[in-house]
Amino acid sequence: MKPHMSTDSTSHDPEEGANFNVLLGGIFLALILWIIGSGFAWKSYEGEVSQAEDHLENLGNRLAYHTSSSIKTVDLAMMRTVTHFSKEWQSLKDNPVMAHDQLATAFAGLQQLKEVHILKAGGESLFIHRFDYSQFKSITDDKFMVRLLRNPKRQLMIGPLQGAHSIGLSRPIYDPLGKLVGYVVAKIDSNYLKKIYTIGLKDHSYRFALYKAESRLLSIPKQQSFDHDISMILSGEKRQLSVNHADRPYDEATLTTHTQVPNFGLVISTELPFEKIIAPWREQTVANAIIGLIFSTIIILSANQVQRTFHAVHSENHMRRQSESNLRKLSQAVEQSPVSVMITNAEAAIEYVNPKFTEISGYSLEEIIGQNPNVLSANIETKTDYSHMWKQLLQGEEWHGEFCNKRKDGSIFWESASLSAIKNTHGQITHFIAVKEDITHRKQAEEQLELAAAVFEAASEAIMVCDENNKIETVNSSFSDITGYTIDEVRGQPPSMLKSGRHKEQFFAQMMEALLKTGRWEGEIWNRRKNGEVYPQWLSIKTIQDDHGKIIRYISLFSDITNRKKDEERILYQANYDALTGLPNRSLFLDRLQRALISAERSHTKIALLFIDLDRFKHVNDTLGHAYGDLLLQEAANRLTSLVRKSDTVARLGGDEFTVIIADLTDFRQVEHLAENLLAKLSAPYDLDNNIAFVSGSIGITIFPNDATNVEDLLKNADTAMYQAKENGRNLSQFFTREMNDEATERRALETALHQALEREEFVLHYQPIVDVQTGNLSSCEVLLRWHQPEYGNVYPDKFIPLAEDTGLIIPIGEWVLQKACREAMIWAKKTDTPPGVSVNMSSRQFQRINVVELVQNTLEMTGLPAERLTLEITESLLIVDDETVIEQLHKVRELGVGLSIDDFGTGYSSLSYLRRFPITTIKIDRSFILDLTSDSEAAAVVSAILSMAQSLNLKVVAEGVEKETQMEQLRKGGCEYIQGYYFSPPVPIEAFRLMVLKEGPMQPDE
């Protein structure tokens, strides 16, 4: 202003009036913004108060429910006590121990109690049962006692106990004649109610009070005074009432909710200072006021700028400097703002951004100016309604919301934004301003919380969260699925509500000890569902601790392992029991035998082990089929089990082999008697679905510790004795002897060596001539297998052939013999024009286990031997099996042109029927008949009969074992065609037999 400007107040300057109008407009606009802001602030204030009212009402309902539950559980116990004392007043009155036991039982587990009194009708104390010995006071000194004696109504009476920090509950006791004989009075600990009132409330500003119509029972804090009118609640006119005392002085302004406690005529008041309620609102209002101040400053300074244009030229420079100074201050405030500020023109082109914007977005000022804010959009679907945003902004309203944006480097970030329009003096929108804050970390935290909540609910395992007092706070849906309890049913309850009663207290003590030491526990536990079902679960518990190491949460995860336990039991059964008979299998048998040995050794007793093998069981399988064989095994198992004691063990080792363990053996006759019964029982006929079958048993018996002291040797001994019983004629029992052990040892050694004999080329073939009786010429030969074992020397066929048949080695050995003999026969054909034939012995096991026809055909093709030069020798035992498969193979062999000879004819089941049924070409008379041919008329008669029968059936006959000329002459006269025996030659090695083949003319007797 000019130094000499007139100060006359009556003069009127048009420029000064214009300046005034411009400044007044700016102030008016700022005032309007403040009024609008105040309106928003007031609405926000009302919202905060309304939310606080809802919170206090919900809190009141919860506290009313907990209060009612606490009183109700005590009242139920009191009613049970009144009922019991009413019926037995006199006896309980005279028996303090019984009375105290009754009180302890009735009020067990009620943590809210301090003590329980039984008073006489006149108020004298009869019994006192205390739960808290830290402080107590005689109840007869309380005003509550006075009201009690004046009002002996048959109902619950509630009132405060002065100086006892307790709430008294009382019910009168009447005897069966209706006479008042006493009272039961229970003291509820006020501290217990205070504890449950403040659970989950981290803010200590809450105030609580519990009222009865005529008195206050409880207040938190204790010195807090309440002067509320609660008559409408007590009268039942309203269940809940909220009172706003905002009109009181600042330090006394509160918001109070009164809630009726169901069933007991009580009211609980919850109160919160207004200071706590509106604190967040005040902070937000202050922040908005700062923003408003910035806007107001911009508006006023803009008006002031216009105002300065009307100043005199001489003050223009001065005013411009002043304006620039103010703008610099404003610019510094925006430039240094901790939040992002962006200003666009009316067409949404960016005109200004502050440094915080470039820091957050990564775009420089040059890159962003002139761009549309959409350049920041992450193009991710969000909840932001842009059409609604623009509608609000174009109406001049402020908009608040969130944006999901993308930085220049492509990373995503979230912003909380406040947008508003800037208008000129004509009300036209010229610019938009956005104040934004980076909330990426907050959103990530929210997403993590949402993810955790989703995982919590979606987890297949049950999850239970308990507070530091081990009270359930929350559970997931899997918890409800497994236990049957809803979250409302378990919230606030201890996990012990799920206890099954199967575990002792020591179990839970060890669990808690592990949690306190290591912070975790895991194991199997049995709990109870809501429906009462007890079930197993796998439980894992982990503690959550604060920074000071104090436990603040217990997190439990568990799963129902009922099915897994059943699977384990089934697998354990399958692993230890035979699926067919239900008897213990080899694994369980060995375990039980080992345990029996340990027990017998400790008690100095004996044990008998019986090894049982069924005779002719394979015949049942082959003739009736495996299904009937299984039925027979099941029946045999039942028969064995029925004859032994429950303390003994019957097991099936496999196939048709069974074992019996007889423990606590005192007399060998006991075992002999049992063996006789077992043999008789096993040999009885078996009715297999109308098919009668007969089998018997061979039993080997060994005694502990007489024969052996370990499982392996006992089992070996019993098996050896069983084989001896079979060799002795079957359907017998045999005790183990040392001689059997030596024979079994030799047998096992030979079996081991036999497995390697082919590979080591220890087998050789010997050949015994078969001579034409009429001409004396070499007609054929029988191939005989010899085994020279380096360790045992020459092993006779009667020892190793049965062993080869039992072990199955007869199959590869028989194949080798057949191929070797046929190759040798082809060599003879190259050295003479009349090569002899070759007879090869075939085991019955070969016909039962392999395709003999295919073996013979392949061998003939491979060696080139003509089929008519080959004869297969079989025993009579093969023919009596009457197996269609065997019969078919014999016919097909014969169709190949190969001869079939019955070896040792006359010693077994000789029958004309099978000579007619089977394609036999030759029979060989057993040497036992030839030996006594010239000295025994019966033997001569048998031989004569065989020769006559053979001639009738057109069969060739070979007499075995011919050693004397007289024998040969008698056979010739009887019509026998061929002889074999030591008269001409014993079995000889290949080299010697080749010389016989090359020799021309009749063979000469062996010297």
Side-chain angles (χ1 to χ4, degrees), residues 87-96 98:
K87 294 178 180 178
E88 300 181 26
W89 173 261
Q90 194 58 42
S91 60
L92 291 172
K93 175 182 176 184
D94 297 332
N95 193 336
M98 185 184 299

Side-chain angles (χ1 to χ4, degrees), residues 413-432:
F413 69 102
W414 284 85
E415 289 184 306
S416 174
S418 294
L419 277 64
S420 60
I422 301 175
K423 300 180 181 179
N424 58 18
T425 54
H426 302 290
Q428 297 174 336
I429 296 176
T430 60
H431 293 81
F432 297 100

Side-chain angles (χ1 to χ4, degrees), residues 100 113-115 128-136:
H100 277 287
L113 288 180
K114 296 179 71 175
E115 57 189 37
I128 301 176
H129 188 81
R130 291 192 172 92
F131 298 86
D132 182 4
Y133 287 87
S134 61
Q135 57 177 341
F136 53 85

Side-chain angles (χ1 to χ4, degrees), residues 740-880:
M740 292 181 193
N741 185 53
D742 294 340
E743 292 176 3
T745 301
E746 181 183 358
R747 176 186 173 90
R748 282 190 290 273
L750 283 177
E751 181 179 336
T752 302
L754 190 60
H755 278 82
Q756 302 170 340
L758 270 181
E759 181 181 343
R760 295 179 178 179
E761 299 181 351
E762 295 173 357
F763 289 122
V764 294
L765 297 182
H766 283 201
Y767 302 83
Q768 187 172 29
I770 298 175
V771 180
D772 188 324
V773 176
Q774 300 301 325
T775 65
N777 293 330
L778 178 63
S779 176
S780 183
C781 66
E782 180 181 358
V783 178
L784 298 171
L785 182 64
R786 297 293 183 260
W787 180 23
H788 181 75
Q789 214 283 328
E791 183 177 350
Y792 301 102
N794 292 325
V795 183
Y796 293 103
D798 59 346
K799 280 192 174 183
F800 73 82
I801 292 298
L803 189 60
E805 289 182 330
D806 289 342
T807 59
L809 291 173
I810 194 66
I811 304 302
I813 293 175
E815 183 177 346
W816 178 84
V817 170
L818 181 62
Q819 293 177 357
K820 184 78 171 176
C822 290
R823 287 194 186 96
E824 181 62 25
M826 285 301 296
I827 294 175
W828 305 334
K830 296 177 181 179
K831 296 181 181 293
T832 179
D833 295 333
T834 57
V838 61
S839 295
V840 179
N841 290 281
M842 299 293 289
S843 168
S844 60
R845 303 293 176 90
Q846 290 176 274
F847 281 91
Q848 293 165 354
R849 297 185 183 182
I850 65 172
N851 189 333
V852 173
V853 179
E854 184 177 332
L855 171 63
V856 172
Q857 187 174 11
N858 291 340
T859 302
L860 293 176
E861 291 176 356
M862 178 175 61
T863 61
L865 181 68
E868 59 272 12
R869 290 185 59 200
L870 175 63
T871 299
L872 301 184
E873 294 192 11
I874 60 177
T875 60
E876 290 177 310
S877 61
L878 176 65
L879 303 180
I880 64 171

Side-chain angles (χ1 to χ4, degrees), residues 653-669:
L653 300 189
D656 57 352
E657 295 179 340
F658 297 88
T659 56
V660 179
I661 303 172
I662 308 298
D664 299 324
L665 181 65
T666 57
D667 190 347
F668 288 153
R669 287 175 295 180

Side-chain angles (χ1 to χ4, degrees), residues 611-617 632 636 639-640 656 658 675-684 686 694-700 721-723 725-726 729-734:
F611 197 108
I612 305 168
D613 186 87
L614 299 183
D615 304 325
R616 289 178 52 79
F617 172 72
L632 190 147
R639 295 182 183 185
L640 294 173
D656 57 352
F658 297 88
E676 291 174 0
N677 291 338
L678 291 174
L679 291 173
K681 199 80 170 178
L682 290 174
S683 61
Y686 292 80
F694 293 90
V695 298
S696 59
S698 296
I699 303 177
M722 183 273 293
Y723 273 106
K726 281 188 176 293
R730 305 179 186 272
N731 197 21
L732 295 172
S733 63
Q734 175 70 54

Side-chain angles (χ1 to χ4, degrees), residues 904-961:
D904 301 331
F905 185 79
T907 60
Y909 301 89
S910 302
S911 171
L912 291 176
S913 62
Y914 66 66
L915 291 177
R916 296 177 59 191
R917 290 182 57 200
F918 299 108
I920 304 301
T921 60
T922 305
I923 57 176
K924 300 183 74 172
I925 303 174
D926 187 67
R927 70 182 62 247
S928 62
F929 298 108
I930 305 302
L931 179 65
D932 300 326
L933 177 63
T934 59
S935 60
D936 188 345
S937 59
E938 291 182 359
V942 170
V943 172
S944 178
I946 294 174
L947 292 172
S948 297
M949 178 187 64
Q951 290 172 3
S952 300
L953 297 175
N954 294 320
L955 298 177
K956 297 177 183 179
V957 178
V958 177
E960 292 185 291

Side-chain angles (χ1 to χ4, degrees), residues 23-37:
L23 184 59
L24 182 62
I27 294 174
F28 182 72
L29 179 58
L31 180 61
I32 290 175
L33 291 176
W34 279 100
I35 291 173
I36 292 173

